[in-house]
Amino acid sequence: MRSTVGRGTGTGADTADRDPVIDLVRFICLALVVVGHSMMVSPVLHPDGTVTTENTLAQQDWFEPIIWIFMVMPLFFVTGGVTGLQSWRRLKASGGTAAQFIRARLLRLLRPATPLLATMVVGLSVAAALGVDRQVVQLMAAGAGMPLWFLAAYLAAQLNIPALAALHARAPWLGFCLLTGLVVAVDCLRGVLPDLANANLVFVWCAVQQLGFLAADGHFSRLSRSELLGIAVAGHLLLGLVTGLGLYRGNMLVNLNPPNLTLVILAVPQLATMELARPVLAPLAGVGWVGRLLVLVGGRSLTVYLWHLPLLVGMSGLLLLAPIPKPGAGTAAWWWSRPLVVLALLILLLPVAAAFGHLEERTTTAVTLRCRPATAGAAVVVVFIPVADAALSGLSLGLLAAGTVCFSVAIVLLGGFPLRRRQPYRRRHGRRTIASGLK
């Protein structure tokens, strides 16, 4: 069974040779995340004037098996492992260093995220100045900032690629097994040391990323279809066993924060399923309009991910105050309103993607711009100061402001300003894809 996983070796600079299946899978994952979040945000205005939020999906027991389908974050990290390992190997082969790799990864995610944080700070500050209750402002800050956990976890995994790739080169399966063992150890100790559970924000997603390393080297593509099917079935049975025995919750949304072993288990059948579906996905990705859609969305994928939930929270808050009928969360009328919510969200995303999407463009080839290890290390520390605080204490307006400042300082340290003109980029580097933004 021949796979094209190893063929796609682009990084923003050379994405024309990327594996189209990876691009299509990431597009599907992004779509499922946006749709899934539209079914989660349910603010409630109580008679006494207080506002709370309900996670509708988390409260629907019958929906738990379907959440397993919507929980595509493991697949995001698997595909990130594929492209990340290829990018690092290519950079290293051309004489690049780990510091340059870290610089490129930081800038790729920080440049789109910083304007979002700044906009949220301004918007929430204006809301507070206009007399909006502090509880509502805090609720909106926490809800709108939810996608930022992905930024933190993804950065933590990607910045460890040079070290984990070295381990992978010596013993391909050892890295995955060691990280999975650390995940299990943290899960066993989180009962007596609750704060230790946050360590799995690194261990879980690095373990899942290692599966991407294995996929990039063809360990899964060499398996027969019956073997892949057996892995997919066995993975789901194991997941059903650990949740059925009560070792973990069956609700994957609950298992996501902080992450635990169930996400690592889920990543294995998701990867096997992706390889099983390759004979269908590859021709589909080659269809003309599908390819054009991947190019269009690919250049703005991280922008769409980061902005969709703040826009959804803001839209939901305005509708909450509007004098219109509001169906109760989880009712039939509420479910029927979801397509309209998704459509409205897509309309709001269009101008945002047009205004900020260019920040995802790679302006300088990493190997041509030297970066000292001390500079890269300082930028990492500056970035993770607010990130760690958010993980331990939760998001607030003040923390969003601190994050804006820290992210901006890191960009300056890494020489991320100014951006160059966009038009020459397409002529030199070819088309952009979904994996160009989230990789």
Side-chain angles (χ1 to χ4, degrees):
M1 178 180 175
R2 186 178 179 181
S3 171
T4 58
V5 168
R7 291 177 51 219
T9 59
T11 67
D14 52 356
T15 55
D17 296 330
R18 294 194 59 86
D19 179 6
V21 171
I22 296 294
D23 299 333
L24 181 56
V25 167
R26 288 203 170 188
F27 172 79
I28 295 171
C29 290
L30 182 61
L32 288 175
V33 167
V34 172
V35 173
H37 281 161
S38 72
M39 295 186 288
M40 293 170 57
V41 178
S42 302
V44 178
L45 179 62
H46 298 280
D48 61 357
T50 60
V51 177
T52 59
T53 183
E54 295 180 0
N55 187 333
T56 307
L57 290 186
Q59 297 173 358
Q60 305 289 318
D61 292 339
W62 61 270
F63 211 71
E64 285 190 3
I66 301 178
I67 295 176
W68 289 20
I69 300 174
F70 277 89
M71 182 47 62
V72 292
M73 282 303 164
L75 197 53
F76 260 128
F77 281 84
V78 168
T79 55
V82 173
T83 57
L85 180 64
Q86 293 168 346
S87 297
W88 165 239
R89 285 174 172 172
R90 186 169 49 257
L91 178 64
K92 186 178 179 182
S94 62
T97 64
Q100 290 172 295
F101 182 85
I102 290 172
R103 174 189 179 272
R105 280 303 187 264
L106 280 172
L107 289 179
R108 182 62 61 85
L109 275 77
L110 292 183
R111 280 199 292 233
T114 304
L116 169 64
L117 296 185
T119 303
M120 289 174 62
V121 170
V122 172
L124 294 174
S125 298
V126 170
L130 292 176
V132 177
D133 188 90
R134 291 181 60 185
Q135 177 205 21
V136 177
V137 173
Q138 171 61 33
L139 193 64
M140 293 181 67
M146 277 177 57
L148 297 178
W149 77 262
F150 170 82
L151 181 70
Y154 201 75
L155 267 177
Q158 291 278 296
L159 297 184
N160 278 298
I161 282 180
L164 294 176
L167 177 59
H168 175 78
R170 292 177 176 272
W173 288 96
L174 180 59
F176 173 71
C177 293
L178 286 176
L179 287 165
T180 303
L182 289 172
V183 171
V184 174
V186 169
D187 284 351
C188 291
L189 295 173
R190 67 168 60 191
V192 293
L193 298 171
D195 289 341
L196 184 62
N198 292 301
N200 270 348
L201 283 168
V202 177
F203 297 149
V204 164
W205 300 122
C206 283
V208 175
Q209 182 177 258
Q210 292 296 108
L211 287 173
F213 288 7
L214 295 167
D217 285 346
H219 288 276
F220 283 81
S221 63
R222 289 192 290 266
L223 299 176
S224 67
R225 296 187 63 80
S226 59
E227 289 172 326
L228 289 171
L229 180 60
I231 290 174
V233 172
H236 283 296
L237 288 176
L238 178 59
L239 195 57
L241 178 64
V242 298
T243 56
L245 292 176
L247 301 177
Y248 295 94
R249 294 282 300 275
N251 193 317
M252 287 298 141
L253 294 176
V254 175
N255 291 330
L256 186 63
N257 187 26
N260 56 44
L261 181 64
T262 59
L263 281 307
V264 180
I265 297 174
L266 182 60
V268 177
Q270 285 184 346
L271 173 54
T273 301
M274 183 182 74
E275 289 299 328
L276 275 172
R278 182 173 288 277
V280 176
L281 295 176
L284 179 59
V287 175
W289 70 268
V290 175
R292 290 190 293 272
L293 180 63
L294 294 180
V295 172
L296 178 64
V297 178
R300 305 292 185 264
S301 54
L302 186 57
T303 302
V304 170
Y305 178 82
L306 290 174
W307 282 85
H308 80 277
L309 196 50
L311 291 174
L312 183 60
V313 169
M315 180 176 63
S316 299
L318 291 176
L319 291 175
L320 191 66
L321 300 176
I324 58 175
K326 304 172 184 67
T331 62
W334 185 89
W335 283 107
W336 281 112
S337 69
R338 295 306 93 188
L340 293 177
V341 170
V342 173
L343 178 60
L345 179 58
L346 292 178
I347 293 173
L348 291 175
L349 279 170
L350 290 177
V352 170
F356 297 105
H358 69 279
L359 295 175
E360 296 187 46
E361 292 184 355
R362 183 172 181 170
T363 58
T364 305
T365 303
V367 74
T368 65
L369 198 152
R370 297 298 171 186
C371 180
R372 295 179 179 178
T375 302
V380 171
V381 172
V382 169
V383 167
F384 277 92
I385 288 175
V387 166
D389 194 0
L392 297 175
S393 307
L395 282 168
S396 63
L397 179 57
L399 190 54
L400 287 172
T404 304
V405 173
C406 289
F407 284 15
S408 299
V409 169
I411 293 174
V412 172
L413 284 174
L414 297 171
F417 294 123
L419 293 175
R420 291 158 65 181
R421 294 182 62 184
R422 297 167 52 194
Q423 186 175 359
Y425 177 87
R426 290 185 179 273
R427 292 201 300 263
R428 288 195 308 268
H429 301 309
R431 72 185 186 98
R432 289 180 59 77
T433 62
I434 192 78
S436 304
L438 286 170
K439 74 179 186 85

